[in-house]
Amino acid sequence: MGVRERAWAAQPGRWVGLAVVLGGLAALLHDGWQLIGRTDPRIVAAGAAGCIAALATALGTLPVLLQQRHSERTRDAMLGFGAGVMLAACSFSLIVPALAAATAQGASRFGAAGIVGASVLIGAGLMLLLEKNLPHEHFIKGQDRHHAHARALKRTWLFVFAIALHNLPEGLAIGVAYGGTDALAASALATGIAIQDVPEGLVIAVALHAAGYPRRFAVALGAASGLVEPVGAVLGAALITLTGALLPWGLAFAAGAMLFVVSHEIIPESHRTGHEHAATGGLVLGFALMMVLDTALV
């Protein structure tokens, strides 16, 4: 047991505080879900899909609790797999349906392409703005040095901000998909995101433990990171259900946000320790799997 792990073990109040925070978040999610869901069942379905994705993230953290070690090559392959799933989801679950939705609303081919292209840029631009203004910690390369005030924050919160920045687009994508009209396609998207959330949860927990945090804390925070997804899912579905005109914009916006996360965070992290072949192989496998889910099963 390291110095930081012994320090945590000697302060049980921190565990009590973490449990209180997690319990409060769970209660808030439950009450908000029930309140909003009374008006539209699509929001309830989006919230349920987001919760399944959150559970998948929690499931992925369990090997760390069981003291199973994974090599850097395995971790990079899992990161690549998650990137591949997200890239395919952007293409087949978000951008293609966004083009179809814009066309169905009366836009010409060029008009639909313009709407989708603008929305992708807006989604990526918003994530860039958040990345530049929100202090956070990259899982492998460490603290983002662009933020002078980042050093004043505890490293735990830098990880929390990074996780939220990473998971929010996934939740939004689920919500926007369920807020549309094709429930089967939305289910395929949610399934793909849940599949890639399993290795993602493991990577988060491994990174936290490698940073010196106790196994139980790393697992608890890794599992809690998934709670961002049902929040994003409910928010995305609620916005889309207000008016169907927002559907192509919302789908493409979520795609742009996810593309930013893949390019700016996941792929660089998967290549940082020198296992590019494993990461690329995982990416191709993840892309192919998500493509099958989106095309053959819908």
Side-chain angles (χ1 to χ4, degrees):
M1 181 180 293
V3 175
R4 180 171 290 183
E5 292 186 77
R6 288 195 296 269
W8 272 86
Q11 300 184 47
R14 293 186 177 184
W15 291 105
V16 174
L18 179 62
V20 170
V21 170
L22 293 180
L25 285 173
L28 181 62
L29 284 172
H30 178 270
D31 292 344
W33 181 9
Q34 293 297 322
L35 178 63
I36 299 175
R38 293 171 186 169
T39 61
D40 197 311
R42 290 175 293 177
I43 300 178
V44 177
C51 288
I52 292 173
L55 288 175
T57 301
L59 179 64
T61 66
L62 293 181
V64 175
L65 190 62
L66 300 175
Q67 300 186 358
Q68 293 185 12
R69 295 185 177 274
H70 296 82
S71 66
E72 288 184 347
R73 182 183 298 274
T74 300
R75 180 197 59 201
D76 291 343
M78 290 188 295
L79 281 171
F81 177 84
V85 170
M86 292 177 73
L87 285 174
C90 289
S91 301
F92 301 105
S93 297
L94 297 173
I95 292 178
V96 171
L99 290 168
T103 302
Q105 291 177 2
S108 65
R109 292 177 61 185
F110 286 104
I115 290 173
V116 172
S119 300
V120 168
L121 292 175
I122 293 171
L126 178 60
M127 292 303 297
L128 176 62
L129 184 65
L130 290 175
E131 195 274 339
K132 284 185 172 296
N133 291 279
L134 185 66
H136 59 284
E137 176 128 352
H138 298 274
F139 293 124
I140 297 175
K141 78 175 183 180
Q143 191 177 104
D144 194 322
R145 302 299 179 182
H146 294 296
H147 304 285
H149 57 292
R151 298 171 186 170
L153 294 173
K154 290 186 177 180
R155 197 177 186 197
T156 306
W157 290 110
L158 296 178
F159 271 119
V160 170
F161 291 151
I163 293 166
L165 194 68
H166 177 93
N167 283 351
L168 183 59
E170 297 176 12
L172 287 173
I174 292 173
V176 171
Y178 273 94
T181 57
D182 193 339
L184 190 57
S187 297
L189 171 64
T191 300
I193 289 178
I195 289 173
Q196 70 93 24
D197 275 343
V198 175
E200 182 178 286
L202 176 60
V203 169
I204 292 171
V206 168
L208 286 168
H209 183 56
Y213 292 99
R215 291 182 184 275
R216 291 181 181 178
F217 177 79
V219 169
L221 187 55
S225 71
L227 294 178
V228 177
E229 294 189 59
V231 172
V234 169
L235 177 62
L239 290 175
I240 295 302
T241 54
L242 292 177
T243 172
L246 291 176
L247 181 59
W249 293 89
L251 289 169
F253 176 90
M258 289 177 67
L259 283 172
F260 177 87
V261 170
V262 171
S263 177
H264 189 74
E265 296 284 344
I266 303 180
I267 292 178
E269 294 283 1
S270 69
H271 287 199
R272 201 170 303 281
T273 56
H275 301 112
E276 293 89 349
H277 290 166
T280 302
L283 186 149
V284 173
L285 178 62
F287 188 95
L289 176 61
M290 189 63 196
M291 182 190 66
V292 170
L293 288 174
D294 273 335
T295 58
L297 302 182
V298 176

